[in-house]
């Protein structure tokens, strides 16, 4: 993950340097043009201050200021994206490690086992069910799973596999999926924060 972040930051810095070089080239070209205009005005006896020479220079200064503001904004956006990406990668890794699952494998498992019929789950196509609770970022903050188990990875894995054995009155079926599949689903759900 660090090498991906380093590549992203390196690419952003290259873009900033390229943009800065473009601004410098435009400034030099504009300055050269203004000097040529000034030399022409001096040769013809026209006062550059009254013919717009000063407004051209102030326009150049506004352009440079705008370009520098754009460079700073671009740098801030790239830095924020890099930080978000790094945070997201840490969350995915932490949820995979805590559950022993791989969240990236969970969507097809949830789709094949009908989770989307009862639950609304971000990122799962068609998961707009209203029977069970929303399985979203709030799951990590809940105190209980199914109203009876302390919210921790092992209990969530157990609940996903055998909810009716834990609470015979729940609407949640015992899925009887493999333990690894339940671990993958738990990893996905805990990573939604």
């Amino acid at each position: 993950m660090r090498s991906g972040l380093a590549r992203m930051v390196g690419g952003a810095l290259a873009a900033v340097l390229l943009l800065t070089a473009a601004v410098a080239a435009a400034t030099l070209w504009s300055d050269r043009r203004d000097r040529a205009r000034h030399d022409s005005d001096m040769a013809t006896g026209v006062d550059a201050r009254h013919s717009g020479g000063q407004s051209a220079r102030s326009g150049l200064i506004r352009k440079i200021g705008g370009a520098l503001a754009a460079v700073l904004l671009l740098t801030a956006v790239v830095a924020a994206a890099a930080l978000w990406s790094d945070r997201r990668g840490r969350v995915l890794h932490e949820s995979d490690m805590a559950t022993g699952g791989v969240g990236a494998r969970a969507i097809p498992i949830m789709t094949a086992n009908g989770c989307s019929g009862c639950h609304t789950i971000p990122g799962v196509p068609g998961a707009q069910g209203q029977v069970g609770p929303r399985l979203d970022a709030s799951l990590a903050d809940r105190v209980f799973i199914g109203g009876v188990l302390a919210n921790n990875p092992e209990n969530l894995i157990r609940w996903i596999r055998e909810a009716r054995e834990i609470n015979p009155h729940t609407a949640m079926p015992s899925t009887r999926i493999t333990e690894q599949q339940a671990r993958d689903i738990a990893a996905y759900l805990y990573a939604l924060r």
Side-chain angles (χ1 to χ4, degrees):
M1 186 46 126
R2 287 279 183 221
S3 63
L5 178 63
R7 281 193 303 271
M8 181 183 272
V9 170
L13 289 176
V16 167
L17 289 174
L18 184 61
L19 188 56
T20 303
V23 168
T27 302
L28 289 173
W29 179 81
S30 181
D31 193 39
R32 177 177 277 166
R33 186 186 67 204
D34 287 347
R35 267 192 255 130
R37 186 178 298 150
H38 177 1
D39 291 346
S40 172
D41 290 345
M42 293 302 287
T44 60
V46 176
D47 187 355
R49 287 174 294 186
H50 297 293
S51 67
Q54 289 296 328
S55 65
R57 187 158 310 277
S58 64
L60 174 63
I61 291 170
R62 280 194 302 274
K63 287 178 184 175
I64 292 172
L68 290 176
V71 167
L72 290 175
L73 180 62
L74 177 65
T75 303
V77 167
V78 169
L83 289 174
W84 182 86
S85 176
D86 189 42
R87 179 195 175 279
R88 184 72 188 135
R90 278 195 319 273
V91 167
L92 292 171
H93 178 71
E94 288 169 4
S95 65
D96 285 355
M97 295 303 292
T99 61
V102 178
R105 298 189 297 221
I107 292 176
I109 299 167
M110 289 186 281
T111 303
N113 286 284
C115 301
S116 59
C118 295
H119 298 282
T120 297
I121 312 167
V124 178
Q128 298 299 319
Q130 301 297 314
V131 176
R134 290 181 59 83
L135 300 179
D136 57 17
S138 67
L139 176 66
D141 297 328
R142 293 182 194 161
V143 177
F144 293 104
I145 297 169
V148 294
L149 295 174
N151 186 356
N152 62 53
E154 289 307 314
N155 282 342
L156 180 57
I157 293 161
R158 226 175 108 213
W159 179 259
I160 291 169
R161 294 187 74 216
E162 44 197 46
R164 290 260 169 94
E165 284 78 7
I166 296 166
N167 179 1
H169 303 291
T170 186
M172 171 85 174
S174 292
T175 62
R176 305 265 188 254
I177 61 176
T178 68
E179 183 173 334
Q180 186 58 55
Q181 289 173 324
R183 288 182 180 282
D184 294 343
I185 291 171
Y188 181 89
L189 296 176
Y190 278 132
L192 290 174
R193 50 193 157 117

